Amino acid sequence: MTVNTILFDLDGTLLEMQTEHFVKNYLAEVGRHVGDKYDSEKLLKLIWDATKAMIMSQEPEKTNEQVFIEYFTAHSEWDREEVWPLFDSFYRDVFPTLSHLAYPSPWGKKIVEAAKAQGYRVAVATNPVFPRDAIFHRLAWIGLSADDFELVTVYEESHYTKPNPGYFLEICQKLGVEPTDCIMIGNHMQEDMVASKLGMKTYLVTNWMEDRGEPQYPVDQRGSLEELYQAITERTGVFATE
């Protein structure tokens, strides 16, 4: 069957960045936004632990948002009604200003436009551990919006995270495609290339590549963002027509 759907990772792929650097500074900004009203060190640890709970969750009936909120409220000394307005204002007012922590370039938008011009269905397969607003803002930094894609994974609607294969299966179910219909494009060996276990083709973007060493997964094609653009427009490698 001809591959017809491309799943794009966001951080380190369409949006050029070093993810660990971004997350470290993003959390520091959350701490600054919270200010002296709360013990920011304790609050940030709780956010991190609740994020880990999302990553470890095997409860398909709960969204990542539900898992995060349940963990947070069960382990927090503060009421959710107290803290959540601060989170909301952070994502509304502060997060959009953090583009300096990334290195937005024209390649992301050019690649998506090229894929659509070649007739591919496109989706953003970013790890859904962030609220919708945070993901949409990051798309805006490269001149794109959710309307440019058939699907963008966000924590309010997703039930798994990377590298759980269930995350990729859920995307396929929502799009009405088989894994073998898809190419997963990402920069992370463990979180993105795991899609190969389901029969997806894979393209590893090398500009901001991340590799924790183990486990290793098959990579069908690899290259820079420029090489990815050329492969899509020229229909070579995993993009070749059968």
Side-chain angles (χ1 to χ4, degrees):
M1 186 177 292
T2 303
V3 172
N4 56 32
T5 303
I6 296 179
L7 311 182
F8 289 103
D9 175 53
L10 181 55
D11 300 335
T13 302
L14 293 180
L15 174 60
E16 297 183 59
M17 67 159 62
Q18 204 287 317
T19 305
E20 187 176 329
H21 169 77
F22 179 85
V23 171
K24 178 182 176 182
N25 285 276
Y26 145 74
L27 288 174
E29 291 291 342
V30 174
R32 272 191 280 275
H33 184 70
V34 168
D36 299 330
K37 189 174 181 181
Y38 302 97
D39 182 335
S40 60
E41 187 174 334
K42 194 179 290 186
L43 181 63
L44 293 179
K45 183 181 185 303
L46 184 54
I47 291 171
W48 190 244
D49 288 344
T51 301
K52 288 180 185 175
M54 284 192 289
I55 294 168
M56 299 300 295
S57 176
Q58 299 289 338
E59 300 180 88
E61 73 282 2
K62 292 181 181 177
T63 64
N64 295 339
E65 179 184 33
Q66 288 170 321
V67 173
F68 184 94
I69 290 172
E70 285 180 13
Y71 186 96
F72 190 97
T73 53
H75 295 84
S76 175
E77 62 189 64
W78 311 289
D79 291 335
R80 181 187 165 197
E81 291 73 20
E82 266 188 275
V83 179
W84 242 251
L86 279 172
F87 289 166
D88 291 340
S89 63
F90 172 81
Y91 286 114
R92 183 184 66 243
D93 302 328
V94 180
F95 195 95
T97 71
L98 301 184
S99 60
H100 65 280
L101 298 176
Y103 308 96
S105 82
W107 281 114
K109 186 174 184 179
K110 285 178 65 174
I111 287 164
V112 171
E113 289 174 344
K116 292 169 76 172
Q118 291 291 338
Y120 286 104
R121 300 174 67 185
V122 295
V124 175
T126 184
N127 212 5
V129 295
F130 283 99
R132 181 184 288 106
D133 285 351
I135 292 170
F136 287 7
H137 286 315
R138 298 207 303 284
L139 281 173
W141 296 346
I142 50 174
L144 294 168
S145 75
D147 293 337
D148 292 309
F149 302 90
E150 290 194 38
L151 175 70
V152 178
T153 56
V154 296
Y155 100 143
E156 290 92 341
E157 298 170 1
S158 300
H159 297 79
Y160 302 98
T161 69
K162 300 176 186 178
N164 189 329
Y167 164 77
F168 298 97
L169 285 174
E170 184 173 30
I171 291 175
C172 290
Q173 290 165 359
K174 288 181 176 180
L175 293 175
V177 298
E178 297 295 326
T180 50
D181 297 333
C182 302
I183 302 170
M184 178 62 207
I185 298 175
N187 68 309
H188 201 298
M189 171 58 77
Q190 286 72 39
E191 293 188 358
D192 297 319
M193 300 300 103
V194 66
S196 63
K197 290 182 69 174
L198 302 175
M200 289 188 185
K201 296 289 188 184
T202 56
Y203 188 108
L204 182 64
V205 175
T206 55
N207 300 62
W208 301 90
M209 188 174 74
E210 296 186 49
D211 185 353
R212 299 191 188 114
E214 293 293 337
Q216 292 289 298
Y217 297 105
V219 175
D220 293 302
Q221 193 172 351
R222 67 180 69 208
S224 66
L225 289 168
E226 183 176 3
E227 289 167 329
L228 170 61
Y229 175 78
Q230 291 172 341
I232 292 173
T233 54
E234 297 170 10
R235 298 299 287 253
T236 59
V238 293
F239 307 99
T241 52
E242 298 177 7

